[in-house]
């Protein structure tokens, strides 16, 4: 079955510290992978996406993610966290052409808290 | 450039009633998807509309139905509301181009009492 697992439900980091959010997926075909961020009361904003090519992808707000096929992972990283990064982060997987189908499978989300 | 807009932002309904949620896609987008996000969960795909037809559907009962209009806007209808239908309903649009990412609205918070 297709699924996305985000092992960490809640993470707290100090402002300025580095961040890594984990994402593991189970998918029958070559997956297309996404990270979205959701602030309270808001919709989802796309941080970055992986379709093919370079396995290290850069996104907005200084985030990057690395696709590791052997580990079925797509972890999100940021070298220095800002207080404004506090939010809910979702990893999602879709089929090739998922833009046409619009069907993404989301993980349960990781809540990021940033300490001053 | 307006993004995806949804209305209303909040809604309270009673069990057994029917509800209609509305979505206008981002300018230039012609494909609309709907997601349900229960509290503390990730969004779950309901269905997608393209050229005024339902193109793909997730694992939701027939009580959930939709419509797309010629101007690409869309409605989500839910009949015979259950308490478990309480959730944030998200609309997402895309241009329909191959692998075009989804752009999400801020959602409609539905509470069923």
């Amino acid at each position: 079955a297709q699924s996305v697992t985000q092992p960490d439900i809640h993470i707290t980091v100090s402002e300025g510290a580095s961040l890594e959010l984990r994402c593991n997926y189970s998918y029958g075909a070559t997956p297309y992978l996404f990270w979205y961020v959701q602030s309270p009361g808001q919709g989802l904003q796309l941080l970055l996406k992986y379709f093919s090519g370079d396995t290290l992808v850069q996104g907005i707000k200084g985030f990057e993610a690395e696709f590791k096929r052997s580990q079925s992972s797509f972890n999100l990283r940021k070298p220095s966290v800002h207080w404004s990064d506090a939010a809910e982060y979702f990893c999602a997987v879709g089929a090739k052409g998922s833009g046409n189908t619009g069907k993404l499978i989301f993980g349960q989300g990781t809540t990021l808290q940033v300490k001053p | 450039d307006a993004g995806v807009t949804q209305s209303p932002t909040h809604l309270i309904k009673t069990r057994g009633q029917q509800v209609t949620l509305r979505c206008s896609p981002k300018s230039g987008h012609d494909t609309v998807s709907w997601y349900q996000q229960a509290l503390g969960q990730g969004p779950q795909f309901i269905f997608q509309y393209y050229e005024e037809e339902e193109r793909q559907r997730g694992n939701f009962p027939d009580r959930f139905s939709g419509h797309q209009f010629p101007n690409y806007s869309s409605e989500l209808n839910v009949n015979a509301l259950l308490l478990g239908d309480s959730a944030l309903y998200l609309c997402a649009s895309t241009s329909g181009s191959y692998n075009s990412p989804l752009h999400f609205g801020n959602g409609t918070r539905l509470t069923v009492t």
Side-chain angles (χ1 to χ4, degrees):
Chain A
Q2 302 163 356
S3 66
V4 176
T5 301
Q6 294 180 243
D8 305 305
I9 296 175
H10 191 277
I11 283 183
T12 300
V13 299
S14 298
E15 191 169 15
S18 63
L19 171 70
E20 182 170 30
L21 302 183
R22 296 183 291 165
C23 173
N24 294 99
Y25 65 88
S26 174
Y27 204 77
T30 300
Y32 284 33
L33 296 156
F34 307 82
W35 275 100
Y36 283 87
V37 62
Q38 185 177 36
S39 299
Q42 301 293 312
L44 279 71
Q45 181 183 21
L46 179 67
L47 286 176
L48 47 78
K49 60 186 185 292
Y50 172 78
F51 287 159
S52 64
D54 192 348
T55 56
L56 183 64
V57 294
Q58 302 298 320
I60 62 171
K61 304 184 180 184
F63 286 93
E64 66 177 27
E66 186 171 12
F67 170 54
K68 292 185 177 180
R69 185 188 302 273
S70 62
Q71 299 177 18
S72 297
S73 69
F74 189 57
N75 294 348
L76 182 71
R77 300 192 295 249
K78 186 169 185 177
S80 177
V81 170
H82 187 263
W83 63 266
S84 61
D85 293 324
E88 187 87 12
Y89 290 80
F90 292 95
C91 180
V93 64
K96 188 176 183 180
S98 54
N100 284 340
T101 68
K103 183 178 181 180
L104 298 183
I105 298 169
F106 284 84
Q108 193 168 358
T110 297
T111 301
L112 173 64
Q113 184 178 2
V114 180
K115 293 190 302 184
Chain B
D1 179 20
V4 179
T5 57
Q6 295 186 241
S7 63
T9 55
H10 294 83
L11 203 52
I12 299 175
K13 289 287 188 178
T14 303
R15 190 172 46 186
Q17 286 187 317
Q18 178 264 344
V19 68
T20 297
L21 311 181
R22 295 176 176 81
C23 171
S24 293
K26 179 180 169 65
S27 178
H29 287 183
D30 58 6
T31 306
V32 173
S33 300
W34 287 92
Y35 284 79
Q36 180 194 67
Q37 185 179 17
L39 201 60
Q41 303 294 318
Q44 285 195 301
F45 176 76
I46 302 175
F47 43 52
Q48 186 190 56
Y49 277 82
Y50 173 69
E51 292 188 340
E52 303 179 45
E53 291 192 357
E54 183 183 292
R55 183 154 66 175
Q56 191 167 0
R57 189 180 183 91
N59 189 25
F60 279 80
D62 292 344
R63 297 186 298 109
F64 290 77
S65 63
H67 189 77
Q68 186 178 35
F69 299 92
N71 66 353
Y72 309 123
S73 66
S74 177
E75 289 182 349
L76 165 65
N77 301 292
V78 187
N79 294 322
L81 284 167
L82 304 174
L83 296 179
D85 294 331
S86 295
L88 181 68
Y89 288 84
L90 295 164
C91 174
S93 71
T94 175
S95 68
S97 299
Y98 193 70
N99 293 326
S100 169
L102 297 178
H103 293 255
F104 284 84
N106 286 340
T108 294
R109 173 70 64 186
L110 172 65
T111 302
V112 182
T113 62

